[in-house]
Amino acid sequence: MPYTTEEGGRLNNFAQEPKVYQAEAPDQKQQMNYLILGVLGVVLVGSLMFVAFSVSA
């Protein structure tokens, strides 16, 4: 672990920094999967709201 020594003998420990890399844009298959998951999420939330309103009425 990298550390430095200050005057007076105190040690300062520093966290090890991760490697930085450029994110890649999703390809067509990943974009389609995101779209499908988004639609399924909207359908799930909509159906849960419908059931909640129909039960409470």
Side-chain angles (χ1 to χ4, degrees):
M1 179 175 278
Y3 64 90
T4 60
T5 306
E6 291 183 354
E7 55 192 56
R10 290 183 297 182
L11 295 178
N12 274 336
N13 289 327
F14 297 102
Q16 193 172 17
E17 295 182 6
K19 264 182 110 173
V20 178
Y21 59 91
Q22 191 76 18
E24 298 176 6
D27 59 5
Q28 282 296 113
K29 185 176 179 183
Q30 288 175 331
Q31 288 178 357
M32 185 59 70
N33 287 340
Y34 293 150
L35 180 64
I36 291 170
L37 287 175
V39 169
L40 288 176
V42 168
V43 168
L44 176 68
V45 170
S47 62
L48 287 175
M49 289 177 65
F50 172 75
V51 168
F53 285 129
S54 63
V55 169
S56 67

